């Protein structure tokens, strides 16, 4: 089966490809000729994931899924949450986002946080939502070069390394996106 992953983010594609069985042929937005920015104007992760999947489904006619992810920091009342991409401004710069988060947290010792992913799947016969969460904490400085986004400052529970220091295979097996994708694959296999 052919399935479009409605993202322009090459890092998300790199994470998701190894999680899909060979029978599912993943297409990127580039593959289907979609170059435009897809509006993400929702007020929740689910709404944004649905907006992205629906956009591709309606405009391009492909079976499709989209993911929206947020980092939720308890000491900041859930910030940056649904605004994770634009936390430090509309240029969506990951380093500026991390600097803003680290400076807002300052020396606060209570640094618990979680990544949440919501995946919306649009098929001809209906729409489905899958979620994945990973608990952890925000480090005091950036560490590691793997991954993307907030990975250098997120340390999953039970590890002494950030997602940017851990191999992709491990991030995928314990991480938010990996968990949500596993639910999607299990559903599609049924
Ligand atoms: P979106 O899901 O593409 O809207 O991402 C929201 C924000 O979270 C962006 O700043 C991403 O870089 C960041 N982000 C999304 N997924 C991850 C992840 O797996 N690790 C670290 N940051 C992420």
């Amino acid at each position: 089966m052919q399935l479009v992953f409605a993202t322009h983010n090459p890092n998300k594609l790199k994470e998701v490809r190894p999680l899909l069985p060979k029978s599912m042929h993943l297409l990127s937005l580039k593959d289907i000729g979609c170059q435009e920015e897809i509006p993400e104007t929702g007020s929740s992760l689910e709404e944004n994931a649905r907006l992205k999947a629906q956009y591709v489904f309606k405009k391009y006619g492909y079976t499709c899924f989209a993911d929206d992810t947020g980092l939720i920091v308890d000491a900041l009342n859930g910030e940056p949450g649904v605004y994770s991409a634009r936390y430090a401004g509309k240029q969506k710069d990951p380093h500026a986002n991390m600097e803003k988060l680290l400076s807002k947290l300052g020396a606060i010792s209570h640094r618990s946080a979680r990544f949440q992913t919501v995946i919306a799947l649009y098929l001809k016969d209906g729409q489905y939502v899958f979620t994945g969460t990973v608990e952890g904490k925000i480090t005091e400085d950036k560490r590691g070069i793997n991954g993307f986004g907030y990975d250098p400052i997120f340390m999953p529970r039970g590890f002494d390394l950030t997602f940017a220091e851990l191999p992709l295979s491990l991030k995928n097996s314990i991480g938010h996106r990996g968990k949500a994708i596993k639910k999607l694959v299990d559903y599609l296999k049924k």
Side-chain angles (χ1 to χ4, degrees), residues 75-101:
L76 300 178
N77 298 317
E79 275 184 30
V82 71
Y83 304 107
S84 294
R86 271 159 259 245
Y87 196 42
K90 58 177 189 274
Q91 74 281 10
K92 298 187 185 175
D93 176 35
H95 289 283
N97 286 341
M98 285 189 282
E99 291 304 339
K100 178 170 177 184
L101 185 52

Side-chain angles (χ1 to χ4, degrees), residues 141-190:
D141 34 43
K142 294 183 241 171
R143 287 164 42 176
I145 55 164
N146 299 333
F148 66 100
Y150 294 91
D151 281 343
I153 59 168
F154 183 83
M155 189 179 278
R157 187 180 284 166
F159 292 84
D160 250 339
L161 298 171
T162 66
F163 266 159
E165 294 174 301
L166 290 164
L168 172 59
S169 55
L170 194 106
K171 180 185 177 191
N172 261 348
S173 69
I174 63 165
H176 46 301
R177 184 166 299 102
K179 287 177 184 168
I181 289 285
K182 186 174 182 318
K183 291 180 191 170
L184 172 134
V185 169
D186 288 348
Y187 176 79
L188 288 172
K189 275 184 175 165
K190 268 197 264 158

